[in-house]
Amino acid sequence: MESYLGYLAAFCTTIAFIPQAIKVYKSKHTKDISLGMFSLLNAGFVLWLWYGILILSYPIIIANAITIVIAVYIFITKLRRDVFSSDKSS
C-alpha cells in the first residue's frame, strides 16, 4: 500500500509541473516566476532525487528525475529570457 501511495504522490507532484512548462513554452514569458524561489525549488528536487537514490525509493527517484527535466526547461528559459537577455522589455 505504501508504494501505491508513493507512486500516486509522485504522479501528482510531477504532473503539476506540466501546465507551467506548457505555458512557458507557448508564451515564452517567465517574468512572473521568482528566480530565487525556482532555484531553491530545483535544489529541493535534486536533493529529493539524491535521497530517493540513497534509500532506493523508486517513486521518489522517478518523480524527481522527471520533474527535474521539466523544471530545468523552465529554469533555462527563465535565465535566457529574464537574466541573460539583452532585451529586458519582453
Side-chain angles (χ1 to χ4, degrees):
M1 186 62 163
E2 294 88 6
S3 286
Y4 292 121
L5 183 61
Y7 281 109
L8 182 59
F11 175 79
C12 290
T13 57
T14 301
I15 293 301
F17 256 78
I18 292 176
Q20 186 67 56
I22 292 170
K23 184 175 182 179
V24 167
Y25 178 77
K26 287 181 177 179
S27 71
K28 302 294 186 220
H29 181 77
T30 58
K31 290 253 185 234
D32 295 332
I33 298 173
S34 164
L35 183 60
M37 180 280 306
F38 208 70
S39 298
L40 191 57
L41 186 62
N42 285 335
F45 294 143
V46 170
L47 292 171
W48 272 115
L49 176 61
W50 186 6
Y51 175 71
I53 291 168
L54 290 174
I55 66 168
L56 292 174
S57 173
Y58 291 108
I60 294 173
I61 293 168
I62 293 167
N64 286 286
I66 293 169
T67 304
I68 286 168
V69 170
I70 298 167
V72 164
Y73 165 73
I74 296 170
F75 189 70
I76 288 171
T77 303
K78 171 73 175 168
L79 292 176
R80 284 184 180 159
R81 300 287 299 169
D82 300 338
V83 176
F84 299 118
S85 173
S86 60
D87 178 23
K88 298 291 184 180
S89 65
S90 42

